[in-house]
Amino acid sequence: MPNNTIRKRFWTPNGLYITERVARSNRIGEGEITRPGKNGGVFLFRVDADLYLKEGQEAFLNIARKYGVKTTWFVNVGNYLGSPAGLEQLLNDDLVEVQSHAFLHRVYPDKARNINNLREAEKHLPPRRVKGVVAPYGIWNEGFQSALEELGINYSSEFGLAYDRAPFYPRVMDRPSTVIQIPIHPVCSGSFAYAGLPVDEACRYFARVIEEKYRQGIPIILYGHPNDRDIAYNSQVLDFIFNYASSLAGVKSLSFAQYYKTLCLDGEGEPGGQMKTSTSSFSGPVKYPLPIRLKWLAVCLLSEIKQRFLDDILPPGGKQIVLDLWKRIRGTIKHG
């Protein structure tokens, strides 16, 4: 199965949108194995720590501690080596599970280089009973999946393969893999901050996502980046998500390792109970005045154009020029 992705729009309750590159087809292929029956009533939060940003990391940890939410941090190890205190802080937090986001923030088409990249990361992580990996950029291919199998990885999570689904075993080389895939929702608070959309819009969006996931009988699994520079914005949205999810009766906060055990080992962290949907001032649409609505739609469109150029057209050397231009355009729209 090749890595086959597309940039997709994800719409808010108010008709605005942000974009993310995800799997072109989100259907489970013939012969792939789903694991139904243990998916409802759980909340998992995945943290993709691409690099160490002290203020962002501490904000995430403090908000998780405020609501007693367990988080699983997938650390891009190469970018943490210069800040050993950052990794030590995660390892000493009782609510944190630390897993691998590779050593270099890259995914290769072949098995051998992926093995080397993942093995180098493992050298700097403590031994774990359950080992998980998240691929950089959410990229998935058979070379990457084969590397996970050879290294004895238990689970992974790539929205370039699947998202918003129950866990399953992907097919690799025409057989079910031994490494279970735990799909997430592919949009994070940073996507909204990057597009310049208001905090309230992001909160309404995630309130709807949380409610829809439970009704569909799949786990509530969201993620974020502690290294996103707009720490205040992300902290407000993260506080809302953790508060909202933890207030739902019957929804249990689990780490990824605990959830893996409920799926494959019948172990600790067994989910249960029924969710009673709490009321939220962010759960419904709001009628923005037409000029405001048009301004935000323009921001959405320009953000999408920028992402398509960066991902699909420009060589790496030309990206910084476009990013600088984008900042000036966005600033004109927001303050004009």
Side-chain angles (χ1 to χ4, degrees):
M1 183 186 297
N3 174 37
N4 193 6
T5 62
I6 189 172
R7 182 159 290 281
K8 181 180 176 180
R9 294 178 179 180
F10 292 85
W11 296 86
T12 75
N14 292 305
L16 308 179
Y17 67 87
I18 48 87
T19 67
E20 182 57 71
R21 182 164 288 282
V22 297
R24 182 180 296 272
S25 173
N26 198 35
R27 297 179 178 178
I28 301 299
E30 181 181 356
E32 294 184 354
I33 304 170
T34 61
R35 298 300 302 266
K38 293 186 177 180
N39 298 320
V42 296
F43 172 55
L44 287 71
F45 195 85
R46 168 183 134 182
V47 184
D48 289 5
D50 297 340
L51 55 87
Y52 176 61
L53 181 63
K54 183 176 185 292
E55 298 82 1
Q57 178 164 305
E58 290 184 349
F60 270 53
L61 293 175
N62 288 337
I63 298 169
R65 195 173 299 113
K66 176 180 176 181
Y67 296 105
V69 170
K70 297 177 181 178
T71 55
T72 302
W73 290 62
F74 294 88
V75 176
N76 189 226
V77 177
N79 284 332
Y80 263 71
L81 290 186
S83 307
L87 184 57
E88 192 69 21
Q89 182 183 36
L90 298 178
L91 294 172
N92 290 332
D93 194 309
D94 292 338
L95 290 175
V96 170
E97 170 197 353
V98 176
Q99 297 286 1
S100 173
H101 196 37
F103 185 80
L104 300 177
H105 202 259
R106 295 190 62 181
V107 173
Y108 301 93
D110 57 284
K111 175 182 173 181
R113 282 185 291 177
N114 284 315
I115 285 178
N116 291 337
N117 194 21
L118 295 170
R119 185 172 282 155
E120 185 63 29
E122 288 295 319
K123 292 178 182 178
H124 304 278
L125 295 176
R128 290 101 68 207
R129 179 189 172 197
V130 175
K131 291 184 179 181
V133 167
V134 164
Y137 305 110
I139 294 173
W140 183 91
N141 57 46
E142 288 194 343
F144 181 77
Q145 190 76 19
S146 298
L148 297 179
E149 291 183 329
E150 182 157 323
L151 294 173
I153 303 300
N154 301 107
Y155 70 83
S156 71
S157 179
E158 287 77 46
F159 47 74
L161 172 64
Y163 57 95
D164 289 336
R165 301 200 63 96
F168 66 99
Y169 289 100
R171 292 191 67 81
V172 57
M173 293 182 289
D174 204 32
R175 59 168 174 77
S177 176
T178 59
V179 182
I180 197 168
Q181 177 73 200
I182 303 180
I184 67 165
H185 185 67
V187 173
C188 67
S189 62
S191 302
F192 284 86
Y194 204 47
L197 295 182
V199 168
D200 286 1
E201 193 71 3
C203 292
R204 291 186 184 92
Y205 176 87
F206 286 111
R208 185 181 66 182
V209 169
I210 290 170
E211 292 162 3
E212 287 182 350
K213 277 178 168 286
Y214 190 84
R215 285 198 296 270
Q216 293 168 0
I218 60 178
I220 302 165
I221 311 181
L222 303 175
Y223 85 112
H225 293 92
N227 50 286
D228 284 335
R229 295 292 171 173
D230 197 336
I231 297 171
Y233 185 106
N234 288 317
S235 294
Q236 291 179 70
V237 179
L238 190 67
D239 190 279
F240 171 82
I241 290 172
F242 285 6
N243 182 28
Y244 192 48
S246 62
S247 70
L248 300 174
V251 174
K252 188 171 185 178
S253 171
L254 298 180
S255 69
F256 271 67
Q258 287 175 320
Y259 184 55
Y260 168 80
K261 291 173 185 177
T262 72
L263 293 169
C264 303
L265 304 179
D266 291 322
E268 62 194 68
E270 181 71 22
Q274 294 297 316
M275 182 178 85
K276 296 179 181 178
T277 304
S278 63
T279 58
S280 168
S281 59
F282 294 107
S283 59
V286 171
K287 288 187 177 181
Y288 292 121
L290 183 59
I292 299 294
R293 185 178 179 81
L294 290 176
K295 183 179 81 168
W296 290 120
L297 284 172
V299 169
C300 292
L301 181 59
L302 285 171
S303 179
E304 180 174 357
I305 291 171
K306 177 206 62 174
Q307 290 292 349
R308 289 185 183 275
F309 266 92
L310 291 178
D311 291 345
D312 304 327
I313 298 175
L314 285 181
K319 288 186 177 182
Q320 192 57 50
I321 296 174
V322 173
L323 286 173
D324 291 341
L325 177 61
W326 162 247
K327 290 178 182 178
R328 292 196 293 271
I329 294 174
R330 189 175 67 175
T332 300
I333 291 174
K334 290 179 68 176
H335 303 294

